[in-house]
Amino acid sequence: MQSFIKFSHFVGRTFAIWVLLVAVVAFLFPEQFLWIGSYISIMLGIIMFGMGMTLSVQDFREVVRQPKSVAIGVSSQFVLMPLIAYGLAKGLNLPPEIAIGVILVGACPGGTASNVMTFLAKGNTALSVAITSVSTLLAPLLTPAIIYFLAREWLEVSVSSMFMSVVKIVLLPIVLGLIVQLFLKEQAKKTVDLMPLISVVAIVLIVAAVVAGSKDKIIESGLLIFAVVILHNGLGYLIGFFVAKLFKLELMDQKAVSIEVGMQNSGLGAALAAAHFIPLAAVPSAIFSFWHNISGPILATYWAQKPNK
């Protein structure tokens, strides 16, 4: 069991490599992966269930201990990334399907990978976890609303159906995970160490399904999407950092806010795109899944060398 846990953590640390490898295979042999598309929501639900099993009361105590920092982080998450996405979509005159996909990524809450990157960057990990937890719980309300207001000029958006989707694939699994943790504490502890492996497998399969279902469109506009994703992610880090600095947060907190803003739950973006829009709208989320796991470690390595003064 111990060796399996070590393997699970190894897979978690090398996440970006697996995403890239499977994306290439899915691009070359798309017919082998098309069937996965029907299970994207289920796989994301499994990831969120795992998140629910790892949440604790301590994670939410940070909201009380650092209300200003948490509020700045959550507000930046749901304001900066959607506005950056909208600005890129308008400024670069993106095709409607790609514009929707970029805004979808921007409207999603932060992912658990941001907590790991904050830890590696010697940032305030407790704050990062609190921001991720709060933004994820707010996602059923805020994500559909943001997408409706920013993306409706390109395509028709149903707020109610998207709200139900986020509730089913995010909120409900998290609540179930919390219940399992509450009533089956010992069993839950034994499975927590396996969650990195399960999460990586699920995200990799989601990326494979998106790539396989959008091969022709990726050939047509893949470089454009990649460039937009890099800009979106980089501007998220940069502006998130300076907003935290503007509000005079400590450097550890600035790192946490910056990484939280820049790194998104792109799996949710892919699931929503697959459920409510055409396959191409899921491609920015798939590329974001790969790219932010390249940029995040680079930024974390740089910041880890900087004293927190």
Side-chain angles (χ1 to χ4, degrees), residues 142-223:
L142 295 183
T143 297
I146 291 168
I147 295 169
Y148 174 75
F149 284 113
L150 296 183
R152 59 182 174 174
E153 68 179 84
W154 284 283
L155 291 172
E156 185 177 347
V157 179
S158 172
V159 175
S160 58
S161 62
M162 198 168 288
F163 168 78
M164 291 307 301
S165 292
V166 182
V167 167
K168 285 189 287 187
I169 62 182
V170 175
L171 191 60
L172 186 58
I174 287 176
V175 171
L176 289 174
L178 286 167
I179 292 171
V180 169
Q181 182 191 162
L182 183 64
F183 291 101
L184 301 170
K185 288 184 180 178
E186 292 306 314
Q187 291 89 333
K189 285 179 183 177
K190 292 177 182 177
T191 58
V192 163
D193 286 327
L194 302 178
M195 290 316 299
L197 177 61
I198 295 170
S199 296
V200 168
V201 170
I203 288 290
V204 164
L205 289 175
I206 290 172
V207 170
V210 171
V211 170
S214 311
K215 178 178 177 177
D216 294 338
K217 292 292 186 180
I218 291 174
I219 293 172
E220 183 182 323
S221 52
L223 286 176

Side-chain angles (χ1 to χ4, degrees), residues 78-91:
F78 284 118
V79 174
L80 295 180
M81 284 304 268
L83 289 180
I84 293 169
Y86 182 78
L88 289 171
K90 294 291 284 185

Side-chain angles (χ1 to χ4, degrees), residues 1-2 4-10 12 46-56 59 112 116 177-178 180-182 184-200:
M1 183 67 176
Q2 199 63 32
F4 194 75
I5 291 172
K6 286 182 180 177
F7 176 70
S8 173
H9 287 288
F10 166 75
I46 292 170
I47 297 170
M48 292 296 103
F49 176 78
M51 181 180 176
M53 287 180 64
T54 60
L55 288 178
S56 66
D59 297 335
T112 52
V116 178
L178 286 167
V180 169
Q181 182 191 162
L182 183 64
L184 301 170
K185 288 184 180 178
E186 292 306 314
Q187 291 89 333
K189 285 179 183 177
K190 292 177 182 177
T191 58
V192 163
D193 286 327
L194 302 178
M195 290 316 299
L197 177 61
I198 295 170
S199 296
V200 168

Side-chain angles (χ1 to χ4, degrees), residues 80-94 102 105-106 222-240 258 261-264 284 287-288 291-292 295:
L80 295 180
M81 284 304 268
L83 289 180
I84 293 169
Y86 182 78
L88 289 171
K90 294 291 284 185
L92 298 175
N93 196 25
L94 298 179
V102 174
V105 175
L223 286 176
L224 172 63
I225 299 173
F226 205 96
V228 171
V229 165
I230 291 174
L231 276 172
H232 194 191
N233 174 238
L235 288 170
Y237 290 140
L238 186 65
I239 300 174
S258 172
V261 174
M263 299 186 75
Q264 301 292 88
I287 294 176
F288 207 103
W291 175 250
H292 77 176
S295 65

